[in-house]
Amino acid sequence: MITTAGIDFSVIAPPAYLKNFVAQEPARVHHVAAQHVLSDESYRAFFAHEAERGAEIIIDNGLFDLGYALPAESLVEAALAVSAREIILPDVMRDGTATLKASEKAAREIRKLSGDAFRLCAVLHAADDDEWLRTYDAFVTSGWAGAIALPASRRPDPDEQLCRTRWLATAYLQDRGLVDDLLIYRLLGLGRTGHLELIEQREHEWISSVDGAAPVILGAMGVALLPEGPYEKPSTPRIEKLGPIPEDRFDLIRKNISVVRAAAGSTVTIAEEHR
């Protein structure tokens, strides 16, 4: 059964375009880059204001953008600056053992610095399915993880591995009764099927949020997302390399965001459109 609440979609956009594409009505969930919070005053002020409006702010550790995760001290500083409720712990791509080790270390350090002020989110990486299952079990039983995030599946996987195909992984957890009611589950990024995956993921009422820059990047390139697909993503720049966005692309970007939110079953709109 598809949930009526849907999955909250947090739009990722360049700092200069937060009011145009990221502001939410009502304010729900934002995935926020720690490095921008610490370096950009206007970025920090925007998300602090969204927190005041009731949004749940989740601090991302910086790995996807920077290639490395920020240290615990920086993550706590960023979280405090925008009244965040959750911190995504350091992770290591495709390495469950290293991710668990890094997450455990950061969890200890964050708790030492801030007590239980923040929910801690572990990212489920693995080299193979056995490691995926071991790492998932370690997170669930850790005592420090209050949330688990599943990274996007970005490459075709003919072997249909749990560690490579996210919609198979969530179905596996559901079918085997492995979803822990005490944890929050998130999706990180849009994968190789883009917004179309979210139509399937909506069947899992326990999935809370997903973030992504694709609707902004593709819209800036003049590419429209089609509600029913197909989803064919050309080679795209990273969000920080996108550059100025022409105003005549703003409407297309907003339409793309609406398509993603519709696929996710979310009724949130862009607050800018109501001002």
Side-chain angles (χ1 to χ4, degrees):
M1 181 178 179
I2 293 178
T3 175
T4 55
I7 299 170
D8 283 313
F9 176 56
S10 171
V11 178
I12 306 300
Y17 301 98
L18 298 178
K19 291 184 178 179
N20 301 102
F21 310 124
V22 177
Q24 297 175 355
E25 184 60 50
R28 291 280 300 162
V29 176
H30 289 292
H31 290 235
V32 177
Q35 68 273 16
H36 290 318
V37 171
L38 297 174
S39 65
D40 187 325
E41 184 177 350
S42 62
Y43 185 95
R44 182 167 59 250
F46 174 85
F47 285 109
H49 179 63
E50 287 291 284
E52 290 175 359
R53 296 180 60 234
E56 181 174 20
I57 306 296
I58 302 164
I59 290 292
D60 199 335
N61 62 50
L63 174 69
F64 187 76
D65 298 322
L66 302 174
Y68 61 90
L70 293 179
E73 295 85 351
S74 297
L75 296 176
V76 169
E77 181 183 353
L80 290 171
V82 292
S83 300
R85 300 185 198 174
E86 181 173 314
I87 295 174
I88 297 179
L89 295 169
D91 52 318
V92 181
M93 296 288 190
R94 296 196 170 194
D95 191 330
T97 301
T99 292
L100 180 59
K101 183 178 179 180
S103 295
E104 287 178 328
K105 179 176 182 292
R108 287 195 302 271
E109 294 172 347
I110 291 171
R111 289 282 172 81
K112 186 176 181 180
L113 290 166
S114 60
D116 294 327
F118 307 108
R119 182 190 309 118
L120 303 181
C121 178
V123 184
L124 186 52
H125 288 292
D128 55 42
D129 283 1
D130 287 340
E131 184 177 79
W132 189 90
L133 290 166
R134 288 197 305 273
T135 305
Y136 177 75
D137 183 66
F139 287 154
V140 170
T141 59
S142 67
W144 45 259
I148 292 179
L150 286 76
S153 306
R154 302 189 183 279
R155 300 176 184 175
D157 177 37
D159 295 329
E160 297 190 334
Q161 302 170 89
L162 301 178
C163 63
R164 297 286 176 270
T165 307
R166 186 167 59 186
W167 55 89
L168 293 178
T170 54
Y172 182 93
L173 295 177
Q174 176 82 49
D175 294 345
R176 285 161 179 77
L178 295 176
V179 178
D180 190 318
D181 292 339
L182 298 179
L183 298 177
I184 292 174
Y185 291 81
R186 306 193 187 281
L187 308 179
L188 295 184
L190 299 180
R192 60 181 178 269
T193 61
H195 60 289
L196 302 179
E197 177 193 352
L198 302 181
I199 298 172
E200 297 182 47
Q201 297 289 13
R202 282 170 60 193
E203 297 177 4
H204 306 310
E205 297 188 3
W206 41 274
I207 295 177
S208 178
S209 71
V210 62
D211 68 310
V216 175
I217 296 174
L218 292 175
M221 296 171 63
V223 179
L225 294 181
L226 306 176
E228 305 299 327
Y231 180 79
E232 297 177 358
K233 184 182 177 183
S235 178
T236 59
R238 296 180 69 88
I239 193 72
E240 65 271 15
K241 302 291 186 181
L242 191 58
I245 302 174
E247 285 194 26
D248 61 6
R249 295 284 170 82
F250 282 19
D251 283 345
L252 177 57
I253 291 172
R254 291 188 178 110
K255 288 178 182 177
N256 282 353
I257 293 169
S258 294
V259 167
V260 175
R261 286 202 163 114
S266 170
T267 58
V268 170
T269 59
I270 301 172
E272 178 72 12
E273 295 180 343
H274 297 275
R275 294 175 184 171

